[in-house]
Amino acid sequence: MILIITCLYLYFKIVKKTLIKHKRILLPTLKNMYRIRLWPLGIAVIALIFGSCNVEKRSDAEQVAKAMLDRMTLEEKVGQMAQITLDVVGKGDSLFNSYEPFELDTAELREAIVDYHVGSVLNSSNNRARSLAAWNSIVSTIQNVAIAKTRLAIPVLYGIDAVHGANYTAEATLFPQQIGMAATWNDSLVQAIGSITAYETRASGIPWVFSPVLDLGADPRFPRQYEGFGEDPHLCSVLGVALVNGYQGASVSSPLKVAACAKHYLGYSAPSSGKDRTPAQLPNITLKEYHLPPFKAAVEAGVKTFMVNSGVINGLPVHASHYIITELLKEELGFEGVVVSDWNDIENLYRRDRVVATEKEAIGLAVNAGIDMAMIPYRYQDFCNQLVELVREGSVEESRIDDAVMRILKLKAELGLFERPTTVLGDYPKAGSEEFAKVSYQAAGESITLLKNSNGILPLSKDKRYKILVAGPNANSMRTLDGGWSYSWQGEKVEEFAGRYNTIFEAIKSKVPQSEVSYIPGVSYPAYGRYFEEQYDKFEESAAAARKADVIILCLGENSYAEKPGDLNDLYLGSKQLNLAEELAKTGKPIILVLNEGRPRVISPIEPMMAAVVQTYLPGSYGADALADILFGDINPSGRLPYTYPSYPNSTVVYYHKPAEEQKPNIGAYSYESDYNPQYPFGYGLSYTNFEYSQLTVNRSELKQNDTLTISVNVRNTGDRKGKDVVQLYTSDLVATITPDVKRLRKFAKIELAPGEAKTLTFKLVTSELAFVDSNDRLVVEPGEFIVSVGNLSTKFHIVN
């Protein structure tokens, strides 16, 4: 009895603050003490004291997770690994859709959260954006059930695709898609976009975003190219880290920040066919040299979660690859966060890929490979029941379950969900604000890329009275400006939500009210057709109006799409659009071609007929306003291509190709050559001013391993207007044991210069940054001669032993 009294005294004196701070964990334990006899109370309190004496350690997320894990049953652990889509717990006719207006089904919610202990929910219901108020109500109700109705009061982790802003929140700010962010070459701006997205996602009550996409956009056929940062590993790494830092900040426990998700690890964007979720053949040297660096950079930046490639590499689905998920990511790269599957991809192991015969085998294969959380997303009961069976049968070790659940609970603790499972909408007054809108407009303005400007036709004069014909299927559409993942998966609901923004035609008409601006499409997209369907729409009328116009602004490109539905069979721009361009060109009137597309569709048949070419990518809600300001000179374009724009469908070669891709003719009987012939090269973009590079210097001509090379270059604005330039530094390894790339981007900087102003830029390059993956899968830096180039300047240096 003395022991009990002493223990109680010590407990209340030492751990009072800890009890208050961690009441969601400790109070259920204390409550149970009153239900048992007195003699075990002393033992329980002693254990609690030893677990609580070190207050600082107990505040660590890992300690919180471990304390919770130790109290969980196997069924509760497995439930934490289950992620379901919102429609599963909504009132509706089936698992796959819900009634409108959306309401949670109390019975279904209780079954998922209370009976099966489901740890995560994702997505919007009915593939539709919701208001801030609706999101807060949905998430709060789910969390109330998790906290008040379950034994351990573990909060649910809600996740959402927020890939260019909080794109499933009706009032949110939508930015350029990631390919447009990449075209800005402005990492601080990309970080600001991430920060705003985090703010507006948290305003929606959601703490986890499935972004950034770190897949290389090296194949223009791929339907998800617009979701990434382009074809270069370094550009993708730098901007990926910027977006992660914007999302997560210094600490994800801040109610203004969210957990980021690096996806789709690994090699997802390189299927042999160019079509989504089809097999890829990628040797390890290719995976590690090009595809791995952005993900490695994200790990080093502290990204909290990873999502796995939905495809198949070298015959093995990545969701089944212990090497890629566990050995490479978790062990070699040291990733300590949560690995989540992609949508339905564990089931795909047996239904689509046929590497196992049953769903149960698929679950065991994926979990043993290293998947921590399964995006099921519908039949969670089967997943939970079968995973429990697998553990009890010994097919999956409970230690593997413990590792996965520790990672999940730790993330929930890091996000502060145990203390604040929900947010308060009133704490987010800036959501959808003008302040955030200005950042979206700036991003669009810095992304739009001027590719051709014959005879300086651009900018057009704001003061002149023009007769302007605006034509093409993308001229009067918000859907095409925002693209997929905008208010819905395929972007087909954009017009319902985006009426307050300007289309290209509306922005131009507003920009020059004194001019006669008419819109006659010539070609349009069917309202409910697939993305590639197009139809003639006042074709002859458009051609007649062109003959009367002073200038034609022809807006061509793609309708919105996302993922697999965006697969294509022909990289050329749609035939009816090409016909429209040719017909309008017959008038002899100058045509400004505005491209609005998720990937670079081939335009070589019509490009010579165009006086100017402007690439807008998918510029977001304020893209049309930024475009109008570029066309009429209020913004000096500064976007640069984040990919190589091909001239032909069979010439899709990246800039860092091997020497064999561009050979001069051989001498002798067997004379042949290989030409590298892009429409526009990677990193290319014009300005309304001119920049001159001079005085490229290196601080030494010879370097040893682990030395640092300092490179300086002078840049001067020689034009008559202020402008921004992207200074790009490349290196070329002249001889290597693995045939070297012709050049690689190593550093870049975006600068702004007034007319006549000059700046000297200094870059530091560590020799380890010149490493390549050799035939033994090792990163090596070999001695030899290198070229460093900036603009039209170059100089040499050597690495010696």
Side-chain angles (χ1 to χ4, degrees):
M1 193 66 186
I2 295 174
L3 175 62
I4 295 172
I5 295 171
T6 303
C7 289
L8 288 171
Y9 171 77
L10 290 172
Y11 170 73
F12 286 111
K13 186 173 182 180
I14 297 173
V15 299
K16 181 180 178 182
K17 290 183 180 179
T18 303
L19 174 60
I20 293 170
K21 185 170 184 180
H22 301 291
K23 62 183 178 181
R24 295 192 186 279
I25 299 172
L26 299 179
L27 284 182
T29 299
L30 295 176
K31 190 184 296 182
N32 289 336
M33 289 179 183
Y34 290 101
R35 300 173 184 167
I36 59 177
R37 295 181 181 275
L38 185 62
W39 67 264
L41 181 60
I43 298 173
V45 173
I46 291 171
L48 190 57
I49 292 170
F50 279 103
S52 305
C53 281
N54 191 332
V55 176
E56 293 304 315
K57 283 190 177 180
R58 177 50 67 96
S59 68
D60 178 78
E62 192 167 9
Q63 296 298 318
V64 172
K66 183 64 168 62
M68 184 66 73
L69 181 69
D70 288 344
R71 302 180 54 226
M72 297 174 73
T73 65
L74 176 59
E75 288 79 6
E76 287 169 333
K77 294 175 186 177
V78 165
Q80 286 298 304
M81 298 172 66
Q83 185 181 62
I84 60 173
T85 190
L86 181 59
D87 280 317
V88 171
V89 291
K91 291 182 179 179
D93 295 326
S94 72
L95 291 174
F96 310 111
N97 57 73
S98 304
Y99 301 137
E100 290 291 346
F102 176 78
E103 289 184 58
L104 286 163
D105 186 311
T106 304
E108 295 289 352
L109 184 60
R110 183 179 179 87
E111 181 183 9
I113 305 300
V114 180
D115 298 344
Y116 279 87
H117 321 289
V118 166
S120 183
V121 181
L122 82 152
N123 217 358
S124 182
S125 61
N126 292 335
N127 185 31
R128 172 181 292 277
R130 303 288 162 183
S131 69
L132 284 164
W135 271 125
N136 275 265
S137 175
I138 290 167
V139 176
S140 294
T141 301
I142 292 172
Q143 295 291 29
N144 286 341
V145 171
I147 300 303
K149 303 296 184 182
T150 64
R151 184 177 74 92
L152 296 176
I154 301 174
V156 165
L157 177 59
Y158 208 109
I160 197 79
D161 285 290
V163 298
H164 65 124
N167 46 263
Y168 277 111
T169 298
E171 302 95 327
T173 311
L174 295 195
F175 298 91
Q177 298 273 1
Q178 267 190 223
I179 198 65
M181 296 183 208
T184 70
W185 293 63
N186 186 336
D187 56 333
S188 62
L189 181 55
V190 170
Q191 183 166 334
I193 290 171
S195 184
I196 293 169
T197 301
Y199 183 100
E200 294 188 334
T201 303
R202 277 286 200 166
S204 307
I206 299 172
W208 184 19
V209 296
F210 303 135
S211 177
V213 171
L214 299 181
D215 308 312
L216 288 189
D219 188 341
R221 301 172 300 169
F222 191 60
R224 306 191 73 171
Q225 196 202 46
Y226 72 82
E227 294 184 53
F229 287 121
E231 72 182 39
D232 180 73
H234 178 67
L235 181 64
C236 187
S237 298
V238 172
L239 298 184
V241 167
L243 202 48
V244 168
N245 289 340
Y247 289 146
Q248 297 188 169
S251 172
V252 292
S253 66
S254 166
L256 305 181
K257 297 299 177 183
V258 294
C261 183
K263 65 181 190 182
H264 307 83
Y265 175 82
L266 177 70
Y268 174 59
S269 58
S272 301
S273 69
K275 296 183 177 181
D276 188 24
R277 290 171 167 85
T278 58
Q281 296 296 322
L282 292 169
N284 233 30
I285 193 170
T286 301
L287 280 172
K288 287 192 170 184
E289 178 72 29
Y290 307 108
H291 295 274
L292 187 62
F295 291 100
K296 181 175 184 290
V299 172
E300 293 170 351
V303 70
K304 296 298 180 183
T305 68
F306 263 61
M307 185 182 293
V308 177
N309 173 2
S310 295
V312 176
I313 296 179
N314 304 330
L316 182 65
V318 180
H319 279 73
S321 176
H322 186 271
Y323 167 71
I324 289 179
I325 299 172
T326 296
E327 296 172 42
L328 184 55
L329 176 60
K330 293 184 175 181
E331 295 174 1
E332 185 174 328
L333 297 187
F335 177 63
E336 297 179 350
V338 175
V339 175
V340 63
S341 80
D342 206 341
W343 184 273
N344 205 42
D345 276 329
I346 293 179
E347 185 173 318
N348 281 337
L349 293 177
Y350 79 99
R351 289 197 184 275
R352 183 194 70 189
D353 299 326
R354 306 179 192 177
V355 293
V356 289
T358 67
E359 181 181 25
K360 185 174 177 179
E361 290 177 285
I363 292 168
L365 186 60
V367 172
N368 282 333
I371 297 294
D372 301 313
M373 180 180 286
M375 191 183 290
I376 298 169
Y378 295 109
R379 295 182 300 105
Y380 63 90
Q381 299 95 332
D382 292 346
F383 172 86
C384 293
N385 292 334
Q386 290 179 106
L387 184 51
V388 168
E389 290 174 9
L390 286 163
V391 175
R392 288 182 173 152
E393 294 166 0
S395 299
V396 175
E397 296 290 337
E398 189 162 0
S399 60
R400 170 77 271 270
I401 303 299
D402 288 348
D403 172 63
V405 177
M406 265 294 293
R407 291 167 182 263
I408 294 165
L409 295 175
K410 178 184 174 186
L411 176 59
K412 292 182 177 185
E414 288 173 332
L415 286 164
L417 296 181
F418 287 101
E419 290 81 16
R420 296 182 313 276
T422 59
T423 51
V424 178
L425 180 55
D427 293 341
Y428 299 87
K430 292 184 180 181
S433 66
E434 182 64 25
E435 176 185 337
F436 290 172
K438 289 178 180 178
V439 178
S440 179
Y441 168 81
Q442 180 190 352
E446 290 201 29
S447 70
I448 294 172
T449 307
L450 180 61
L451 297 174
K452 183 178 181 180
N453 194 18
S454 299
N455 302 316
I457 187 172
L458 293 177
L460 301 172
S461 172
K462 289 184 295 184
D463 301 322
K464 186 176 178 180
R465 287 180 58 87
Y466 292 102
K467 286 186 178 179
I468 300 173
L469 171 65
V470 182
N474 296 59
N476 200 30
S477 167
M478 283 306 303
R479 174 179 176 178
T480 61
L481 290 173
D482 283 331
W485 297 112
S486 300
Y487 307 108
S488 65
W489 178 38
Q490 295 295 312
E492 81 284 358
K493 296 182 177 72
V494 167
E495 307 298 348
E496 178 183 340
F497 290 91
R500 62 189 182 276
Y501 305 110
N502 285 326
T503 66
I504 295 174
F505 164 65
E506 291 166 344
I508 291 171
K509 190 173 179 65
S510 175
K511 187 70 180 176
V512 284
Q514 78 281 7
S515 291
E516 183 182 327
V517 183
S518 60
Y519 161 62
I520 307 174
V523 172
S524 62
Y525 302 120
Y528 301 103
R530 289 174 289 182
Y531 88 92
F532 53 81
E533 294 178 347
E534 52 191 36
Q535 60 193 7
Y536 290 119
D537 186 352
K538 300 181 181 179
F539 187 86
E540 293 81 7
E541 187 178 338
S542 185
R547 287 188 284 272
K548 301 176 183 178
D550 298 314
V551 62
I552 302 164
I553 299 176
L554 179 59
C555 306
L556 305 181
E558 297 182 309
N559 205 353
S560 69
Y561 55 84
E563 300 192 65
K564 189 69 177 173
D567 285 347
L568 57 69
N569 295 315
D570 187 355
L571 194 56
Y572 277 111
L573 196 62
S575 59
K576 290 181 175 62
Q577 296 187 60
L578 294 176
N579 291 343
L580 176 62
E582 291 167 350
E583 189 66 24
L584 298 184
K586 291 176 183 177
T587 66
K589 300 299 176 68
I591 301 177
I592 298 166
L593 175 60
V594 174
L595 295 170
N596 171 208
E597 55 190 4
R599 57 196 152 192
R601 302 296 293 270
V602 172
I603 59 170
S604 53
I606 62 170
E607 196 270 356
M609 309 172 192
M610 304 296 111
V613 179
V614 182
Q615 173 64 287
T616 68
Y617 312 95
L618 301 173
S621 299
Y622 298 93
D625 299 320
L627 172 66
D629 285 345
I630 285 173
L631 295 178
F632 291 93
D634 284 342
I635 294 178
N636 191 348
S638 63
R640 301 292 184 266
L641 284 177
Y643 50 61
T644 302
Y645 203 118
S647 294
Y648 307 100
N650 202 36
S651 295
T652 56
V653 180
V654 294
Y655 87 88
Y656 47 85
H657 54 271
K658 303 299 182 182
E661 293 286 357
E662 48 178 321
Q663 301 178 48
K664 295 179 180 179
N666 284 339
I667 298 174
Y670 299 101
S671 178
Y672 59 85
E673 60 185 305
S674 178
D675 64 330
Y676 174 59
N677 54 5
Q679 188 76 62
Y680 306 108
F682 172 83
Y684 177 76
L686 301 172
S687 171
Y688 293 152
T689 190
N690 298 302
F691 299 97
E692 181 181 271
Y693 290 24
S694 64
Q695 301 174 41
L696 176 65
T697 62
V698 294
N699 68 328
R700 60 177 76 180
S701 59
E702 286 190 354
L703 294 90
K704 294 181 180 179
Q705 299 286 347
N706 300 317
D707 278 350
T708 299
L709 184 69
T710 301
I711 306 108
S712 297
V713 65
N714 184 269
V715 184
R716 180 179 296 276
N717 181 348
T718 60
D720 58 2
R721 66 170 68 204
K722 182 169 64 175
K724 294 177 180 178
D725 189 26
V726 179
V727 182
Q728 305 165 40
L729 186 151
Y730 296 86
T731 64
S732 301
D733 189 349
L734 299 187
V735 177
T737 52
I738 296 292
T739 182
D741 298 330
V742 293
K743 66 177 183 177
R744 290 289 293 273
L745 179 71
R746 301 300 184 189
K747 303 288 180 180
F748 65 90
K750 192 162 194 176
I751 60 172
E752 184 173 41
L753 298 174
E757 184 183 5
K759 285 185 180 178
T760 297
L761 278 75
T762 299
F763 300 98
K764 292 189 179 295
L765 189 66
V766 181
T767 53
S768 60
E769 295 178 79
L770 303 172
F772 64 90
V773 179
D774 70 5
S775 57
N776 296 313
D777 287 346
R778 299 174 305 180
L779 273 174
V780 297
V781 180
E782 293 180 343
E785 188 176 28
F786 292 76
I787 293 176
V788 59
S789 59
V790 181
N792 59 345
L793 306 175
S794 64
T795 189
K796 293 183 178 180
F797 65 92
H798 291 78
I799 293 179
V800 298
N801 284 324

